[in-house]
Every structure is written in structure tokens, then in C-alpha cells.
Amino acid sequence: MAKAIVLLSALCIVALANFAHCHPEVFDVEGKVYCDTCRVQFETKLSQNIEGATVKLQCRNITTETETFSVEGVTDKDGKYKLTVEGDHQDDICEVTVVKSPREDCKEAVSGYEKARIECSDNVGMHNAVRYANPLFFMKAQAVEGCKEVLDELGLFPLEF
């Protein structure tokens, strides 16, 4: 009888611990925005972080494509942003999109590269409340000096600059 009471007490404690662990899902999405000064669609040592760029995180239901969550943010002096997502979005597609560059000399967004997809659910095998988005960028109208040398250092194909 005493063993049964101890066992029942232990089960109650475990159940309470699980209940106490329950929390509303809140995720932080972190990423950065940079200026692609060489127009190569990836970051190089000549790339520049963009302060004040506007980004938007939007979640849409997979089936209905109805927007379920949206938040905007602005990058800091290091080109980094942090957006807070509330709720579980297991049935949604969530993406961070570049909206606006504050730099007149670097404001061209590239179709197909203006978004980064993010998982905003606890039920995807990740046990961290922080999600990291791929870097996003704007491009300059013309490549800056030094790009050819940077690409040569990387062993990439020669480009016309």
C-alpha cells in the first residue's frame, strides 16, 4: 500500500511538472540584411550590413493562404533584426521578406531571393525558441571596385565588372 501511494505521488509530481512546463509558444526570429556590393547574390567581404532596412515576417495558412500572423521590424547598426512571433504556426508557411532599404545606392531586391522561410512551431524537432533566417540582401546598381579580386580569391568564375 505504501509503495502504491509513493508511486501515485510520483506520477502526480511528474504530471504537475509537465503542466508547469506548458507555455504559450513564442519564437524569436533573428536574421540580417546586407548590401550585395558585387551583385553576386551571396555575401562577400565587400558586402555591407544595412542599418534601418525594413523586414516583414508573415505567416499564411498552408491550405487557405489566409494570413494568420504578421509583424514588421527594422535592422540595427549591424544589419541584424529580431522579430517576435506569437503562437504555434505548424499549419502555416512563415517567411521573412525584405520590404525597404534606406540606402538609395543599394535598394534593388532580387526576385526569388527576397524571402527566407522560417519554421515557427514547437512540433518540428527544434527545441529552441530562436529561429535563424538566412541572410537577406539588396543589391547595388553597379558592382564596386575590388569585386573581381574578391571573386578570384574565392576561385569563382571570372565575371565582367
Side-chain angles (χ1 to χ4, degrees), residues 54-104:
T54 304
V55 295
K56 180 178 183 177
L57 186 143
Q58 183 179 36
C59 297
R60 294 179 324 278
N61 181 275
I62 292 171
T63 307
T64 65
E65 296 189 12
T66 303
E67 184 179 286
T68 59
F69 183 82
S70 180
V71 65
E72 280 195 6
V74 177
T75 57
D76 64 14
K77 65 179 178 60
D78 298 317
K80 296 181 180 180
Y81 62 86
K82 183 176 181 179
L83 304 171
T84 300
V85 181
E86 297 175 359
D88 188 277
H89 296 277
Q90 180 177 339
D91 297 327
D92 296 342
I93 293 174
C94 297
E95 296 175 316
V96 179
T97 307
V98 288
V99 176
K100 184 178 180 210
S101 172
R103 291 180 48 175
E104 284 299 315

Side-chain angles (χ1 to χ4, degrees), residues 28-33 55 75-76 78-83 96 118 130-136:
D28 285 328
V29 175
E30 297 180 9
K32 72 181 279 187
V33 179
V55 295
T75 57
D76 64 14
D78 298 317
K80 296 181 180 180
Y81 62 86
K82 183 176 181 179
L83 304 171
V96 179
I118 300 295
V130 179
R131 303 294 193 255
Y132 299 98
N134 288 333
L136 299 170

Side-chain angles (χ1 to χ4, degrees), residues 36-42 44 46 139 142-161:
D36 179 3
T37 56
C38 290
R39 297 187 54 83
V40 291
Q41 300 178 6
F42 60 86
T44 68
L46 297 179
M139 288 197 308
Q142 297 285 326
V144 299
E145 284 189 38
C147 290
K148 182 180 181 329
E149 292 78 16
V150 168
L151 295 176
D152 285 345
E153 286 175 21
L154 295 173
L156 297 175
F157 56 94
L159 296 175
E160 292 294 322
F161 285 101

